[in-house]
Amino acid sequence: MKVIGYIRVSTQGQVRDGYSLAYQEDEIKAYCQTQGYTLLRLFKDEGISGAKVDEEALEVDRLGFQEMLEYLSYHEVDYVVTLNTSRLWRSDIVKVLVHREFKKLGVDIRSIEQPQYSIHKKDPSDFLINGLMELLDQYQRLEISLKLGRGRNKKAQQGGYAGGNVALGYKVKKGQKRLVIDDRQAQTVQRVFDLKQQYPSWTLSQLAEKMNEEGHRTKQGKLFTKVQIKRILDRKAFYSGLYHYGDITADGKHQAIL
């Protein structure tokens, strides 16, 4: 059997579950050796929630996950091996999206901690238990989100950086918690918008290919995919100097790249 592995931690999830990336990787390698599986590659997402979704594109908004789907499109793979299905999803909508993509690609899941799990299995007890677990996870995330949101809204109203991942083209000035332009990355961002203006009919994938061809890279130093290109283009207002968090929009509170 040819398989690939997938590991993920979020900041809160790693603390709560104790599932470090190294631990997950070791468990997957040991499991594959025991089962006689050929482990082709290992994909990972670090510091990213398992509930994150691109609502407009209806896609799982994780770089490592998208890279895995791209790999599956061009390679014959039987299973995606993971420590627990919670590494792949943390909400019902993400679960549905993962199942949809895996079924299209003809691949199933092998969960080390849930040995009977299959995306094709319809067991009433599994359905009930998984549903209750996911509802509990959603409740916990909402509770945490409400607590964090109050502080972040106040920060945004004051024009400050409200936290979260820093967009490509910016960095947080140490000790000041405000966004400043990263000159090298800003050139990459500007190039994306220049290409979009120059070739308006190009797809996101074509734009990504051109950026990679010219030697541009993401914040993590990796090749661009359509996900990163869409993320940049969707943030045009942000790159023009607007800061938006929740219902709060602050004008001219950080330097504009565009």
Side-chain angles (χ1 to χ4, degrees), residues 148-234:
L148 293 176
R150 285 192 288 267
R152 288 177 175 174
N153 273 325
K154 184 176 181 180
K155 191 74 175 178
Q157 284 176 319
Q158 297 170 347
Y161 172 56
N165 292 331
V166 180
L168 181 69
Y170 288 97
K171 57 187 176 181
V172 179
K173 199 164 185 179
K174 191 174 180 180
Q176 296 187 20
K177 291 189 177 182
R178 66 184 181 88
L179 296 176
V180 295
I181 292 176
D182 183 310
D183 293 330
R184 182 181 59 81
Q185 293 179 11
Q187 292 176 13
T188 299
V189 172
Q190 184 65 62
R191 184 58 179 154
V192 172
F193 285 98
D194 289 345
L195 285 173
K196 181 61 178 175
Q197 186 174 12
Q198 188 176 356
Y199 305 103
S201 63
W202 276 17
T203 65
L204 296 173
S205 295
Q206 287 175 310
L207 291 171
E209 288 174 8
K210 182 64 174 174
M211 290 292 291
N212 294 330
E213 182 184 307
E214 293 183 358
H216 298 285
R217 294 296 181 264
T218 67
K219 203 176 189 73
Q220 292 76 30
K222 297 184 179 181
L223 294 174
F224 276 95
T225 67
K226 65 178 184 179
V227 175
Q228 287 84 44
I229 297 297
K230 184 178 187 303
R231 190 174 295 151
I232 291 171
L233 294 175
D234 286 347

Coordinates of all heavy atoms in Angstrom, one line a residue, residues 148-234:
L148 N -11.2 36.2 23.2 CA -10.1 36.9 22.5 C -10.7 38.1 21.6 O -10.0 39.1 21.5 CB -9.4 35.9 21.5 CG -8.6 34.8 22.2 CD1 -8.1 33.8 21.2 CD2 -7.5 35.4 23.0
G149 N -11.9 37.9 21.1 CA -12.4 38.9 20.2 C -12.7 40.2 20.8 O -12.5 41.3 20.2
R150 N -13.1 40.3 22.1 CA -13.3 41.5 22.8 C -12.0 42.4 22.9 O -12.0 43.6 22.6 CB -13.9 41.3 24.2 CG -15.3 40.8 24.2 CD -15.9 40.8 25.6 NE -15.4 39.8 26.4 CZ -15.9 38.6 26.6 NH1 -17.0 38.3 25.9 NH2 -15.4 37.7 27.4
G151 N -10.9 41.7 23.2 CA -9.6 42.4 23.3 C -9.2 42.9 21.9 O -8.6 44.0 21.8
R152 N -9.3 42.0 20.9 CA -8.9 42.4 19.6 C -9.7 43.5 18.9 O -9.1 44.3 18.2 CB -8.9 41.1 18.7 CG -7.8 40.1 19.1 CD -7.8 38.9 18.3 NE -6.7 38.0 18.6 CZ -6.6 36.8 18.1 NH1 -7.5 36.3 17.3 NH2 -5.5 36.0 18.4
N153 N -11.0 43.5 19.2 CA -11.8 44.6 18.6 C -11.4 45.9 19.2 O -11.3 46.9 18.5 CB -13.3 44.3 19.0 CG -14.0 43.5 17.9 OD1 -13.7 43.6 16.8 ND2 -14.9 42.6 18.4
K154 N -11.1 45.9 20.5 CA -10.6 47.2 21.2 C -9.3 47.6 20.6 O -9.1 48.8 20.3 CB -10.5 46.9 22.7 CG -10.1 48.2 23.4 CD -10.1 47.9 24.9 CE -9.7 49.2 25.7 NZ -9.7 49.0 27.2
K155 N -8.4 46.7 20.3 CA -7.1 47.0 19.7 C -7.3 47.6 18.3 O -6.6 48.5 18.0 CB -6.2 45.7 19.7 CG -4.8 46.0 19.3 CD -4.1 46.6 20.5 CE -2.6 46.7 20.2 NZ -1.8 47.3 21.3
A156 N -8.2 47.0 17.5 CA -8.4 47.4 16.2 C -9.0 48.8 16.2 O -8.7 49.7 15.3 CB -9.3 46.5 15.4
Q157 N -9.9 49.1 17.1 CA -10.5 50.4 17.2 C -9.5 51.5 17.5 O -9.6 52.6 17.0 CB -11.6 50.4 18.3 CG -12.9 49.7 17.9 CD -13.9 49.7 19.1 OE1 -13.5 49.4 20.2 NE2 -15.1 49.9 18.8
Q158 N -8.5 51.1 18.2 CA -7.4 52.1 18.5 C -6.3 52.1 17.4 O -5.3 52.8 17.5 CB -6.7 51.6 19.8 CG -7.7 51.7 21.0 CD -7.1 51.1 22.3 OE1 -6.1 50.4 22.2 NE2 -7.8 51.3 23.4
G159 N -6.5 51.3 16.3 CA -5.6 51.4 15.2 C -4.4 50.5 15.4 O -3.5 50.5 14.6
G160 N -4.4 49.6 16.4 CA -3.3 48.7 16.6 C -3.4 47.4 15.9 O -4.5 47.1 15.4
Y161 N -2.4 46.6 16.0 CA -2.4 45.3 15.4 C -3.1 44.3 16.4 O -2.7 44.2 17.5 CB -0.9 44.8 15.2 CG -0.8 43.3 14.8 CD1 -1.4 42.8 13.7 CD2 0.0 42.5 15.6 CE1 -1.3 41.5 13.3 CE2 0.1 41.1 15.2 CZ -0.5 40.7 14.1 OH -0.4 39.4 13.7
A162 N -4.2 43.7 15.9 CA -5.0 42.9 16.8 C -4.6 41.4 16.9 O -5.3 40.6 17.5 CB -6.5 43.0 16.2
G163 N -3.5 41.1 16.3 CA -3.0 39.7 16.5 C -3.3 38.9 15.3 O -3.9 39.3 14.3
G164 N -2.9 37.6 15.3 CA -3.1 36.7 14.2 C -1.9 36.7 13.3 O -0.9 37.3 13.5
N165 N -2.0 35.9 12.2 CA -0.9 35.8 11.3 C -0.7 37.1 10.6 O -1.6 37.8 10.1 CB -1.2 34.7 10.2 CG -1.2 33.3 10.9 OD1 -0.5 33.1 11.8 ND2 -2.0 32.4 10.3
V166 N 0.6 37.5 10.4 CA 0.9 38.7 9.7 C 0.9 38.5 8.2 O 1.5 37.6 7.7 CB 2.3 39.2 10.2 CG1 2.6 40.5 9.5 CG2 2.3 39.4 11.7
A167 N 0.2 39.3 7.5 CA 0.1 39.2 6.1 C 1.4 39.4 5.4 O 2.3 40.1 5.8 CB -0.9 40.2 5.5
L168 N 1.6 38.7 4.2 CA 2.8 38.8 3.4 C 3.0 40.3 3.1 O 2.0 41.0 2.7 CB 2.7 38.0 2.1 CG 3.9 38.0 1.2 CD1 5.1 37.3 1.8 CD2 3.5 37.4 -0.2
G169 N 4.2 40.8 3.2 CA 4.4 42.2 2.9 C 4.6 43.1 4.1 O 5.0 44.2 4.1
Y170 N 4.2 42.5 5.3 CA 4.3 43.2 6.6 C 5.1 42.4 7.6 O 5.2 41.2 7.5 CB 2.9 43.6 7.1 CG 2.2 44.6 6.3 CD1 1.3 44.3 5.3 CD2 2.4 46.0 6.6 CE1 0.6 45.2 4.6 CE2 1.8 46.9 5.8 CZ 0.9 46.6 4.8 OH 0.2 47.5 4.1
K171 N 5.5 43.1 8.7 CA 6.0 42.5 9.8 C 5.6 43.3 11.0 O 5.2 44.5 10.9 CB 7.6 42.4 9.8 CG 8.3 43.8 9.6 CD 9.8 43.6 9.3 CE 10.4 44.9 9.0 NZ 11.9 44.8 8.8
V172 N 5.7 42.7 12.2 CA 5.3 43.4 13.4 C 6.6 44.0 14.1 O 7.5 43.2 14.3 CB 4.6 42.5 14.4 CG1 4.2 43.3 15.7 CG2 3.3 41.9 13.8
K173 N 6.6 45.3 14.3 CA 7.7 45.9 14.9 C 7.8 45.5 16.4 O 6.9 45.7 17.1 CB 7.7 47.4 14.8 CG 9.0 48.1 14.9 CD 8.9 49.6 14.4 CE 10.3 50.2 14.5 NZ 10.3 51.6 14.0
K174 N 9.0 45.0 16.7 CA 9.2 44.4 18.1 C 8.9 45.5 19.1 O 9.5 46.6 19.1 CB 10.6 43.9 18.2 CG 10.8 43.0 19.5 CD 12.2 42.4 19.5 CE 12.4 41.6 20.7 NZ 13.7 40.9 20.7
G175 N 8.1 45.1 20.1 CA 7.9 46.0 21.3 C 6.8 47.0 21.0 O 6.4 47.7 21.9
Q176 N 6.4 47.2 19.7 CA 5.4 48.2 19.4 C 4.0 47.7 19.0 O 3.0 48.3 19.0 CB 5.9 49.2 18.3 CG 7.1 50.0 18.8 CD 7.5 51.0 17.8 OE1 6.7 51.4 16.9 NE2 8.8 51.4 17.8
K177 N 4.0 46.4 18.6 CA 2.8 45.7 18.2 C 2.0 46.5 17.1 O 0.8 46.7 17.2 CB 1.9 45.4 19.4 CG 2.5 44.3 20.3 CD 1.5 43.9 21.3 CE 2.0 42.8 22.2 NZ 1.1 42.3 23.2
R178 N 2.8 46.9 16.1 CA 2.1 47.6 15.0 C 2.8 47.1 13.7 O 3.9 46.6 13.7 CB 2.2 49.1 15.0 CG 3.6 49.7 14.9 CD 3.5 51.2 15.1 NE 4.8 51.8 15.0 CZ 5.4 52.2 13.9 NH1 4.7 52.1 12.8 NH2 6.6 52.8 13.8
L179 N 2.0 47.1 12.6 CA 2.5 46.6 11.3 C 3.3 47.6 10.6 O 3.0 48.8 10.5 CB 1.3 46.2 10.4 CG 0.3 45.1 10.9 CD1 -0.8 44.9 10.0 CD2 1.1 43.8 11.1
V180 N 4.5 47.1 10.1 CA 5.3 48.0 9.3 C 5.6 47.2 8.0 O 5.6 45.9 8.0 CB 6.6 48.4 10.0 CG1 6.3 49.3 11.1 CG2 7.4 47.1 10.4
I181 N 6.0 47.9 6.9 CA 6.2 47.2 5.6 C 7.6 46.5 5.7 O 8.6 47.0 6.1 CB 6.2 48.2 4.5 CG1 4.8 48.8 4.3 CG2 6.7 47.6 3.2 CD1 4.7 49.9 3.3
D182 N 7.5 45.2 5.1 CA 8.7 44.5 4.9 C 9.1 44.7 3.4 O 8.4 44.2 2.5 CB 8.5 43.0 5.1 CG 9.7 42.1 4.9 OD1 10.4 42.3 3.9 OD2 10.1 41.3 5.8
D183 N 10.1 45.5 3.1 CA 10.4 46.0 1.8 C 10.5 44.8 0.8 O 10.0 44.9 -0.4 CB 11.6 46.8 1.7 CG 11.5 48.1 2.5 OD1 10.3 48.6 2.6 OD2 12.4 48.6 3.1
R184 N 11.2 43.8 1.1 CA 11.4 42.7 0.2 C 10.1 42.0 -0.1 O 9.7 41.7 -1.3 CB 12.4 41.7 0.7 CG 12.7 40.5 -0.2 CD 13.7 39.5 0.4 NE 13.2 39.0 1.6 CZ 12.3 38.0 1.7 NH1 11.8 37.4 0.6 NH2 11.9 37.5 2.9
Q185 N 9.3 41.7 0.9 CA 8.0 41.0 0.7 C 7.0 41.9 0.0 O 6.2 41.4 -0.8 CB 7.5 40.5 2.0 CG 8.3 39.4 2.7 CD 7.7 39.0 4.0 OE1 6.5 39.4 4.4 NE2 8.4 38.2 4.8
A186 N 7.1 43.2 0.2 CA 6.2 44.2 -0.4 C 6.3 44.1 -1.9 O 5.3 44.3 -2.6 CB 6.5 45.6 0.2
Q187 N 7.6 43.9 -2.4 CA 7.8 43.9 -3.8 C 7.1 42.6 -4.4 O 6.5 42.7 -5.5 CB 9.3 43.8 -4.1 CG 10.0 45.0 -3.8 CD 11.5 44.9 -4.0 OE1 12.0 43.9 -4.6 NE2 12.3 45.8 -3.5
T188 N 7.0 41.6 -3.7 CA 6.3 40.3 -4.1 C 4.8 40.6 -4.2 O 4.2 40.2 -5.1 CB 6.6 39.2 -3.1 OG1 8.0 38.9 -3.1 CG2 5.9 37.9 -3.5
V189 N 4.3 41.3 -3.1 CA 2.9 41.6 -3.1 C 2.5 42.5 -4.3 O 1.5 42.2 -5.0 CB 2.5 42.3 -1.8 CG1 1.0 42.8 -1.9 CG2 2.6 41.3 -0.6
Q190 N 3.3 43.5 -4.5 CA 3.1 44.4 -5.6 C 3.1 43.7 -7.0 O 2.3 44.0 -7.9 CB 4.1 45.5 -5.6 CG 3.9 46.6 -6.7 CD 2.7 47.4 -6.4 OE1 2.5 48.1 -5.4 NE2 1.7 47.4 -7.3
R191 N 4.0 42.7 -7.1 CA 4.1 42.0 -8.4 C 2.8 41.2 -8.6 O 2.4 41.1 -9.8 CB 5.3 41.1 -8.3 CG 5.6 40.3 -9.6 CD 5.8 41.3 -10.8 NE 6.0 40.5 -12.0 CZ 5.8 41.0 -13.2 NH1 5.2 42.2 -13.4 NH2 6.0 40.3 -14.3
V192 N 2.2 40.6 -7.6 CA 1.0 39.9 -7.8 C -0.1 40.8 -8.4 O -0.8 40.4 -9.4 CB 0.5 39.3 -6.4 CG1 -0.9 38.7 -6.6 CG2 1.4 38.2 -5.9
F193 N -0.3 42.0 -7.8 CA -1.3 42.9 -8.3 C -0.9 43.4 -9.7 O -1.8 43.6 -10.6 CB -1.5 44.1 -7.3 CG -2.2 43.7 -6.1 CD1 -1.6 43.4 -4.9 CD2 -3.6 43.6 -6.1 CE1 -2.3 43.0 -3.8 CE2 -4.3 43.2 -5.0 CZ -3.7 42.9 -3.8
D194 N 0.3 43.6 -10.0 CA 0.8 44.1 -11.3 C 0.4 43.0 -12.4 O -0.1 43.3 -13.5 CB 2.3 44.3 -11.3 CG 2.6 45.6 -10.6 OD1 1.7 46.4 -10.3 OD2 3.8 45.8 -10.3
L195 N 0.7 41.7 -12.0 CA 0.4 40.6 -13.0 C -1.1 40.5 -13.2 O -1.5 40.3 -14.3 CB 1.0 39.3 -12.4 CG 2.5 39.1 -12.5 CD1 2.9 37.8 -11.8 CD2 2.9 39.0 -14.0
K196 N -1.9 40.7 -12.1 CA -3.3 40.6 -12.3 C -3.9 41.7 -13.2 O -4.8 41.5 -14.0 CB -4.0 40.7 -10.9 CG -5.5 40.5 -10.9 CD -5.9 39.2 -11.5 CE -7.5 39.0 -11.4 NZ -7.9 37.8 -12.1
Q197 N -3.3 42.9 -13.1 CA -3.7 44.0 -13.9 C -3.2 43.8 -15.4 O -4.0 44.1 -16.3 CB -3.1 45.3 -13.4 CG -3.6 46.5 -14.1 CD -3.1 47.8 -13.5 OE1 -2.3 47.8 -12.6 NE2 -3.7 48.9 -13.9
Q198 N -2.0 43.2 -15.5 CA -1.5 43.0 -16.9 C -2.2 41.8 -17.6 O -2.4 41.9 -18.8 CB 0.0 42.7 -16.7 CG 0.7 42.7 -18.1 CD 2.2 42.5 -17.9 OE1 2.8 42.4 -16.7 NE2 3.0 42.3 -19.0
Y199 N -2.5 40.8 -16.8 CA -3.2 39.6 -17.4 C -4.5 39.3 -16.7 O -4.6 38.4 -15.9 CB -2.3 38.4 -17.3 CG -0.9 38.6 -17.9 CD1 0.2 38.9 -17.1 CD2 -0.7 38.6 -19.3 CE1 1.5 39.1 -17.7 CE2 0.5 38.8 -19.9 CZ 1.6 39.0 -19.1 OH 2.9 39.2 -19.6
P200 N -5.5 40.2 -16.9 CA -6.8 40.0 -16.1 C -7.5 38.7 -16.3 O -8.3 38.3 -15.5 CB -7.6 41.2 -16.6 CG -7.0 41.6 -17.9 CD -5.6 41.3 -17.8
S201 N -7.3 38.0 -17.4 CA -8.0 36.8 -17.7 C -7.2 35.5 -17.2 O -7.8 34.4 -17.2 CB -8.2 36.6 -19.2 OG -6.9 36.5 -19.9
W202 N -6.0 35.7 -16.6 CA -5.3 34.6 -16.1 C -6.0 34.0 -14.9 O -6.6 34.7 -14.1 CB -3.9 35.0 -15.7 CG -2.9 35.1 -16.9 CD1 -3.2 35.0 -18.2 CD2 -1.5 35.1 -16.8 NE1 -2.1 35.1 -18.9 CE2 -1.0 35.1 -18.1 CE3 -0.6 35.1 -15.7 CZ2 0.4 35.2 -18.4 CZ3 0.8 35.2 -16.0 CH2 1.2 35.2 -17.3
T203 N -5.9 32.7 -14.7 CA -6.4 32.0 -13.6 C -5.4 32.2 -12.4 O -4.3 32.6 -12.6 CB -6.6 30.5 -13.8 OG1 -5.3 29.9 -14.0 CG2 -7.5 30.3 -15.0
L204 N -5.9 31.9 -11.2 CA -5.0 32.0 -10.0 C -3.8 31.0 -10.2 O -2.7 31.4 -9.7 CB -5.8 31.6 -8.8 CG -7.0 32.5 -8.4 CD1 -7.8 31.9 -7.2 CD2 -6.5 33.9 -8.0
S205 N -4.0 29.9 -10.7 CA -2.9 28.9 -10.9 C -1.9 29.5 -11.9 O -0.7 29.3 -11.7 CB -3.5 27.6 -11.5 OG -4.3 27.0 -10.5
Q206 N -2.3 30.2 -13.0 CA -1.4 30.8 -13.9 C -0.6 31.9 -13.3 O 0.6 32.0 -13.5 CB -2.2 31.3 -15.1 CG -2.7 30.2 -16.1 CD -3.5 30.8 -17.2 OE1 -4.5 31.6 -16.9 NE2 -3.2 30.4 -18.4
L207 N -1.3 32.7 -12.4 CA -0.5 33.7 -11.7 C 0.5 33.1 -10.8 O 1.6 33.6 -10.6 CB -1.5 34.6 -10.9 CG -2.5 35.5 -11.7 CD1 -3.6 36.1 -10.8 CD2 -1.7 36.6 -12.4
A208 N 0.1 32.0 -10.1 CA 1.1 31.4 -9.2 C 2.3 30.8 -9.9 O 3.4 31.0 -9.5 CB 0.3 30.2 -8.4
E209 N 2.0 30.2 -11.1 CA 3.1 29.7 -11.9 C 4.1 30.8 -12.3 O 5.3 30.6 -12.3 CB 2.6 29.0 -13.1 CG 1.9 27.7 -12.8 CD 1.2 27.1 -14.0 OE1 1.4 27.6 -15.1 OE2 0.5 26.1 -13.9
K210 N 3.5 31.9 -12.7 CA 4.4 33.1 -13.2 C 5.2 33.6 -12.0 O 6.4 33.9 -12.2 CB 3.5 34.2 -13.7 CG 4.3 35.4 -14.3 CD 5.1 35.0 -15.4 CE 5.8 36.2 -16.1 NZ 6.7 35.9 -17.1
M211 N 4.6 33.7 -10.8 CA 5.3 34.2 -9.6 C 6.5 33.3 -9.3 O 7.6 33.7 -9.0 CB 4.4 34.3 -8.4 CG 3.4 35.4 -8.5 SD 4.1 37.1 -8.5 CE 4.6 37.1 -6.8
N212 N 6.2 32.0 -9.4 CA 7.3 31.0 -9.1 C 8.4 31.0 -10.1 O 9.6 30.9 -9.8 CB 6.7 29.6 -9.0 CG 5.7 29.4 -7.8 OD1 5.9 30.1 -6.8 ND2 4.7 28.6 -8.0
E213 N 8.0 31.2 -11.4 CA 8.9 31.3 -12.5 C 9.9 32.4 -12.3 O 11.1 32.4 -12.6 CB 8.2 31.4 -13.8 CG 9.0 31.4 -15.0 CD 8.2 31.6 -16.3 OE1 7.2 30.9 -16.5 OE2 8.5 32.6 -17.1
E214 N 9.4 33.5 -11.8 CA 10.2 34.8 -11.6 C 11.0 34.7 -10.3 O 11.8 35.6 -10.0 CB 9.3 36.0 -11.5 CG 8.6 36.3 -12.9 CD 7.8 37.6 -12.8 OE1 7.7 38.2 -11.7 OE2 7.2 37.9 -13.9
G215 N 10.8 33.6 -9.5 CA 11.6 33.4 -8.3 C 11.0 34.0 -7.0 O 11.7 34.0 -6.0
H216 N 9.8 34.4 -7.1 CA 9.1 34.9 -5.9 C 8.7 33.7 -5.0 O 8.4 32.6 -5.5 CB 7.9 35.7 -6.2 CG 8.2 36.9 -7.0 ND1 8.7 38.1 -6.5 CD2 8.0 37.2 -8.3 CE1 8.9 39.0 -7.4 NE2 8.5 38.5 -8.5
R217 N 8.7 33.9 -3.7 CA 8.3 32.9 -2.7 C 7.4 33.4 -1.7 O 7.3 34.6 -1.4 CB 9.6 32.3 -2.1 CG 10.5 31.6 -3.1 CD 9.8 30.3 -3.6 NE 10.7 29.6 -4.6 CZ 10.7 29.8 -5.9 NH1 9.8 30.6 -6.4 NH2 11.5 29.0 -6.7
T218 N 6.7 32.5 -1.0 CA 5.8 32.9 0.1 C 6.6 33.3 1.3 O 7.8 33.3 1.4 CB 4.9 31.7 0.5 OG1 5.7 30.7 1.1 CG2 4.2 31.1 -0.8
K219 N 5.8 33.7 2.4 CA 6.4 34.1 3.6 C 7.3 33.0 4.2 O 8.3 33.3 4.9 CB 5.4 34.6 4.6 CG 5.8 35.5 5.7 CD 4.6 35.9 6.5 CE 5.0 37.1 7.5 NZ 5.2 38.3 6.8
Q220 N 6.9 31.8 4.0 CA 7.6 30.6 4.5 C 8.7 30.1 3.5 O 9.3 29.1 3.8 CB 6.6 29.4 4.8 CG 5.7 29.7 5.9 CD 4.5 30.6 5.5 OE1 4.1 30.7 4.3 NE2 4.0 31.4 6.4
G221 N 8.9 30.9 2.4 CA 10.0 30.5 1.5 C 9.6 29.4 0.5 O 10.4 28.8 -0.1
K222 N 8.3 29.2 0.4 CA 7.8 28.1 -0.4 C 7.2 28.6 -1.7 O 7.0 29.8 -1.9 CB 6.7 27.2 0.3 CG 7.3 26.5 1.5 CD 6.2 25.7 2.2 CE 6.8 24.9 3.4 NZ 5.8 24.0 4.0
L223 N 7.0 27.7 -2.7 CA 6.3 28.1 -3.9 C 4.9 28.5 -3.7 O 4.2 28.1 -2.8 CB 6.3 26.9 -4.9 CG 7.7 26.4 -5.4 CD1 7.5 25.1 -6.2 CD2 8.4 27.4 -6.2
F224 N 4.5 29.5 -4.6 CA 3.1 29.9 -4.5 C 2.1 28.9 -5.1 O 2.4 28.2 -6.0 CB 3.0 31.3 -5.3 CG 3.4 32.5 -4.5 CD1 4.6 33.0 -4.6 CD2 2.5 33.1 -3.7 CE1 5.0 34.1 -3.9 CE2 2.8 34.2 -3.0 CZ 4.1 34.7 -3.1
T225 N 0.9 28.8 -4.5 CA -0.2 28.1 -5.1 C -1.3 29.1 -5.3 O -1.2 30.2 -4.8 CB -0.6 26.9 -4.1 OG1 -1.2 27.5 -3.0 CG2 0.6 26.0 -3.8
K226 N -2.4 28.6 -5.9 CA -3.5 29.5 -6.1 C -4.1 30.0 -4.8 O -4.7 31.1 -4.8 CB -4.6 28.8 -6.9 CG -5.3 27.6 -6.2 CD -6.3 27.0 -7.1 CE -7.1 25.9 -6.4 NZ -8.2 25.3 -7.2
V227 N -4.0 29.2 -3.7 CA -4.5 29.6 -2.4 C -3.9 30.9 -1.9 O -4.5 31.9 -1.5 CB -4.3 28.5 -1.4 CG1 -4.8 29.0 0.0 CG2 -5.1 27.3 -1.8
Q228 N -2.5 31.0 -2.0 CA -1.8 32.2 -1.6 C -2.1 33.4 -2.5 O -2.2 34.5 -2.0 CB -0.3 32.0 -1.5 CG 0.2 31.1 -0.4 CD 0.1 29.6 -0.8 OE1 0.4 29.2 -1.9 NE2 -0.4 28.8 0.1
I229 N -2.2 33.1 -3.8 CA -2.5 34.2 -4.7 C -3.9 34.8 -4.4 O -4.0 36.1 -4.4 CB -2.4 33.7 -6.2 CG1 -1.0 33.3 -6.5 CG2 -2.9 34.8 -7.1 CD1 0.1 34.3 -6.5
K230 N -4.8 34.0 -4.2 CA -6.2 34.4 -3.9 C -6.2 35.2 -2.6 O -6.9 36.3 -2.5 CB -7.2 33.3 -3.8 CG -8.6 33.7 -3.6 CD -9.5 32.5 -3.6 CE -11.0 32.9 -3.5 NZ -11.3 33.8 -2.4
R231 N -5.5 34.8 -1.6 CA -5.4 35.4 -0.3 C -4.9 36.8 -0.5 O -5.4 37.8 0.2 CB -4.5 34.6 0.6 CG -4.6 35.0 2.1 CD -3.8 34.1 3.0 NE -4.4 32.8 3.0 CZ -3.8 31.6 3.1 NH1 -2.5 31.6 3.3 NH2 -4.4 30.5 3.2
I232 N -3.8 37.0 -1.3 CA -3.3 38.3 -1.5 C -4.3 39.3 -2.2 O -4.5 40.4 -1.8 CB -2.0 38.2 -2.3 CG1 -0.9 37.6 -1.5 CG2 -1.5 39.6 -2.8 CD1 0.4 37.2 -2.2
L233 N -4.8 38.8 -3.3 CA -5.8 39.6 -4.1 C -7.0 40.0 -3.3 O -7.6 41.1 -3.4 CB -6.2 38.8 -5.4 CG -5.1 38.6 -6.4 CD1 -5.6 37.7 -7.5 CD2 -4.6 39.9 -6.9
D234 N -7.5 39.1 -2.4 CA -8.6 39.3 -1.6 C -8.4 40.4 -0.5 O -9.3 41.0 0.1 CB -9.1 38.1 -0.9 CG -9.8 37.1 -1.8 OD1 -10.2 37.5 -2.9 OD2 -10.0 35.9 -1.4

